[in-house]
Amino acid sequence: MKTHILIIGGGLAGLSLAWQLEKQGIDYQLIEARDRFGGRIHAHKGSANQISASFDMGPSWFWPGQPRIADVINQLGLQAFEQYSLGEIMFEDVSGKAQRGRGYASMQGSYRLKGSMQMLIEEIQQRLTAERLTLGCRATVIERVDAAIKTHISDANGATSIIESQKVVLALPPRVAAEILSFKPKLSAEVISSMQNIPTWMAGHAKVVAIYKEAFWRNDGLSGDAMSRRGPLVEIHDASPEDHLTQKNGPYALFGFMGIPAHVRANNRQMLIDATLDQLVRLFGEQAKIPLDIAIQDWAFEPETATPLDQAPLNQHPDYGLPRSLKHIWDGDIILSSTEAAPRFGGYLEGALEAAAATFEQLMQASTRSIK
């Protein structure tokens, strides 16, 4: 197979770039190793009162002052709503003692997407030519041969083939690219080191969602926000899937981030569930003990998202953007384009769109130069 631009990675950055190329009639192919599109955007489906809903297991929020995601949501005809924050916050000390009304709703003023962030992925995908998109297709070797780049790929059955292109866009975290891809000729030690030194946002985290028939915490005057020094969840929020002003029949949900290290979480799912439910009871009462459903998404053990270097969660937001050594790989024929490449909004959904927009501009400039 031959194409002008090969995009490796079908998360928000890769799909957004494909959408921009599609609108300009530019030849491309996009491959994704997983059996789904979305990358770190992923949703768990649950239901209550015969009403189903999707719950974000990856990024949930965006904020005012992030113009690209606001524009994309408008273009796609999607609806946003403000994170629920009415009521008091809970705090749990190291002994497990719950205290009411201490702290503030840290996500107040943030926005979520009706139907979950998965709607972004589904709506963009529907605007792309299906024949240009391939799931279950894993890139293994990227080889420069004369004026072309040959990317060796394998499918879910182990069959191998080659895609020949002029440009390759790595729309996946730099650390992951350095871990799973081989390059011929080999990239310099400086380039590989630079890729490995860029932390993958949220890769070391695990997220838990507990789904309920009723929002009993709201009825008790609580926002669903909680902070804990005991755990296993260190931060909890209301994850109910629609605007609290219009949602009447559920389902409702609470979600939290695990504070337990990845190596302890491994192969201990039931222990994590039991400890989580015990904690939710301490914070919100006995009604939290028996959810309709509970789901855990542990990103630290997904090779398409995390490497061994990402096992430890980040304690602060990294200073993202690409160093000079990663801006002109193979004279600009290989382009890094994940949210970690975005200098202003790196790590956020806005950053994925920022990176895609910058990559599109770079590709257009290169095309103009080649015509001249």
Side-chain angles (χ1 to χ4, degrees), residues 97-158:
K97 180 181 178 181
Q99 303 173 43
R100 183 174 179 136
R102 178 176 168 183
Y104 63 97
S106 59
M107 290 299 116
Q108 185 174 3
S110 64
Y111 285 86
R112 294 169 52 208
L113 201 60
K114 185 175 182 179
S116 82
M117 287 298 173
Q118 188 68 32
M119 295 299 296
L120 276 177
I121 301 304
E122 294 176 5
E123 289 296 326
I124 294 175
Q125 181 187 342
Q126 290 177 14
R127 287 160 172 77
L128 304 178
T129 303
E131 290 74 20
R132 296 183 183 275
L133 310 175
T134 307
L135 289 171
C137 183
R138 189 176 299 275
T140 56
V141 179
I142 299 178
E143 181 180 15
R144 191 169 197 174
V145 180
D146 299 324
I149 299 176
K150 295 185 177 182
T151 300
H152 299 247
I153 60 174
S154 62
D155 65 18
N157 298 316

Side-chain angles (χ1 to χ4, degrees), residues 197-212:
N197 286 336
I198 299 177
T200 306
W201 182 242
M202 298 300 290
H205 284 270
K207 187 173 180 177
V208 183
V209 172
I211 302 170
Y212 298 95

Side-chain angles (χ1 to χ4, degrees), residues 3-16:
T3 188
H4 183 59
I5 298 165
L6 174 62
I7 304 170
I8 301 176
L12 181 58
L15 290 175
S16 175

